[in-house]
Amino acid sequence: DLGIRATHALSDVTETVRNDTSRVTLTGLMRSLKDPEIQYSVKLMMGLLRRLPQILAEDR
């Protein structure tokens, strides 16, 4: 269920990004890091990336 929801969310975000004409600037990126939801998301992604080598090793 989580994988299906994540796939749907990724699809929605991809469509949103394709239609967004605004530019991403370094200043805008730095400002967005103040948002608690962005901080949570970055921490979540970093945690997953730290564990990725172990996950891939277990798959062999």
Side-chain angles (χ1 to χ4, degrees):
D1 190 45
L2 176 61
I4 293 170
R5 289 194 324 258
T7 302
H8 287 284
L10 180 59
S11 176
D12 292 344
V13 169
T14 302
E15 195 62 34
T16 301
V17 169
R18 278 190 187 136
N19 297 324
D20 188 1
T21 59
S22 64
R23 294 181 58 206
V24 176
T25 63
L26 183 56
T27 304
L29 183 60
M30 297 303 286
R31 265 193 222 121
S32 71
L33 288 174
K34 294 179 183 178
D35 182 345
E37 289 183 13
I38 297 296
Q39 289 181 13
Y40 177 82
S41 299
V42 169
K43 289 176 185 178
L44 181 67
M45 292 303 297
M46 295 296 290
L48 287 171
L49 290 172
R50 275 189 214 106
R51 290 166 178 83
L52 187 59
Q54 179 183 358
I55 292 168
L56 293 175
E58 290 173 359
D59 193 39
R60 292 181 191 180

